[in-house]
Amino acid sequence: MTLIPHPSVETPPAPSPTPVEAVARAVAERVTSRLLAEGRLEAGAVGGEEARRRVASVVDEVLDAMAADALAQGRAPLDAAQEQQVRTLAVARICGMGGLEPLLAEPGAHNILITGEKVIVDFGGGRREPRPPVAADDAELAALVRRIAASSPSGERRFDASSPLLSMELPDGSRLSAVMEVSRRVSVAIRHPRHALDLNALQSSDMLDGLARGLLEAAASARMNLLISGATGAGKTTLLRALAVAAVAPWERVVTVEDSLELNLDRSLEARCDCVALQARPANVEGVGEITLAELVRHALRLSPDRVIVGETRGPETIALLNAMSMGTDGSMATIHAGSSAQVFTKIAAYTAQAPERLSLEAANLLAASAVHLVAHIAVDPRGRRWVSSIREVVGAEGAHVVSNEVYHRPRPQEAGRLLGAPSSERADVLTAHGFDAAAAFSTGGAW
């Protein structure tokens, strides 16, 4: 067996802070110390406009004092452009996202990865670039995250020794995850919202070929229940969103359920149909008020949906989702972490066994077989290329096994996908009625 090494790229050292950035950090430290000493900087109250104006006023006073000191010592003070840049950076460090603000503004950034003083911006496709530190040490980084958490749009969140794990949405829609205490260094990962891609864009990027697109788009339009599997960052949510936007009819009522609001179908479909977006909620600082995904999926059924779309199923909510799929809300969709389309059923069995209901393997398989119609898997190669590599039809269940047939296969992104067999006659007729003639495509060797 020949092992193909993962392509490696030497990462250049992180650039040092510029003189203006160093001055801005010093100004921010002086202003923060002064406001704290005067009792004018309350924890969790630094994000409002009034606090920002107060901070900006003190920053101006500190800059004036620094300019006077420079002139008295015979040094040149900052020019107007430098002073404005220092003012903006210092206020951002105290009131805004601090050193995260320029990173969040970088065009094309997919993820921002921070461990202690090490900062990496991931642009996708294997391209990662270092950036200057956003904090001098772990304590400063934790304090920055704590301040951001205190002004979370969905309610104040804790980030301390008793609550060392944090996941929250930022005002621009980015998703911030942070960890401390249980890790050697304070670590932060920010998943930047990307421009929503439609099926045309996904086909142009070669994630989908014409055959896979035709099959999946027809299945979604025909209100078949779909699961999209793949690894973290494979593009499962992107494909799910694109299929929903393409397939949901104007008369349909859609309820989305997510741990964090990433689908944004309530905005994409706002002018076309009725969409309700639900988001899970962790417990508050008193340890109460948690709303789980499982609770939301069950409640979604009471909102009279035509489709229930779950951003990602990975726990007890799996049973509620499968029940929803098998109780008349056809056309429902979800994503799931799995290594292949066939492995999806093993993951479903594991999740349902861990749920409070503790379903047996046979019961889980029967439920999955009655709920899921198709599974699409997204593969990712070492270069970061993503493509739909497998589509599997669920046929039924026999004891410890879910019976399924792989109907589409595309082993590598540079190859064309092909149909391995036509779907079952009942589903083939439905697909044909919605624009995908599986029998014709199969008879021509999978051309579409």
Side-chain angles (χ1 to χ4, degrees), residues 227 294 298 313-326 336 343-372 399-400 402:
L227 288 181
R298 287 192 291 268
T313 181
R314 59 177 184 272
E317 69 279 355
T318 303
I319 294 179
L321 170 64
L322 296 177
N323 280 329
M325 287 180 163
S326 61
I336 187 170
Q343 192 188 64
V344 165
F345 310 113
T346 303
K347 299 300 289 287
I348 288 175
Y351 293 151
T352 55
Q354 295 164 5
E357 295 88 342
R358 297 191 178 277
L359 294 190
S360 66
L361 179 59
E362 291 77 9
N365 289 341
L366 283 171
L367 182 57
S370 67
V372 181
V402 173

Side-chain angles (χ1 to χ4, degrees), residues 265-289:
L265 289 177
D266 55 320
R267 298 173 181 172
S268 302
L269 302 175
E270 182 178 10
R272 210 174 82 199
C273 71
D274 183 15
C275 183
V276 180
L278 305 179
Q279 181 182 22
R281 186 178 70 188
N284 61 18
V285 293
E286 286 80 27
V288 297

Side-chain angles (χ1 to χ4, degrees), residues 342-408:
Q343 192 188 64
V344 165
F345 310 113
T346 303
K347 299 300 289 287
I348 288 175
Y351 293 151
T352 55
Q354 295 164 5
E357 295 88 342
R358 297 191 178 277
L359 294 190
S360 66
L361 179 59
E362 291 77 9
N365 289 341
L366 283 171
L367 182 57
S370 67
V372 181
H373 299 139
L374 292 179
V375 175
H377 181 74
I378 302 174
V380 184
D381 70 6
R383 295 182 179 180
R385 293 179 296 183
R386 303 165 174 83
W387 74 101
V388 174
S389 62
S390 174
I391 301 175
R392 184 174 294 271
E393 179 191 13
V394 181
V395 178
E398 293 181 358
H401 300 282
V402 173
V403 181
S404 65
N405 296 322
E406 188 175 33
V407 296
Y408 168 88

Side-chain angles (χ1 to χ4, degrees), residues 167 175 257-261 278-281 293 311-312 314:
S167 180
R175 194 71 194 176
V257 179
E258 301 177 84
D259 184 52
S260 59
L261 295 174
L278 305 179
Q279 181 182 22
R281 186 178 70 188
L293 285 175
E312 180 185 344
R314 59 177 184 272

Side-chain angles (χ1 to χ4, degrees), residues 28-44:
E29 290 173 354
R30 287 179 61 176
V31 172
T32 300
S33 298
R34 176 172 161 181
L35 291 173
L36 286 173
E38 297 173 357
R40 297 164 61 193
L41 189 64
E42 299 84 8

Side-chain angles (χ1 to χ4, degrees), residues 153-171:
S154 56
E156 182 178 352
R157 305 289 181 87
R158 291 180 59 183
F159 186 60
D160 50 34
S162 60
S163 298
L165 308 178
L166 174 68
S167 180
M168 61 172 285
E169 185 182 14
L170 299 179

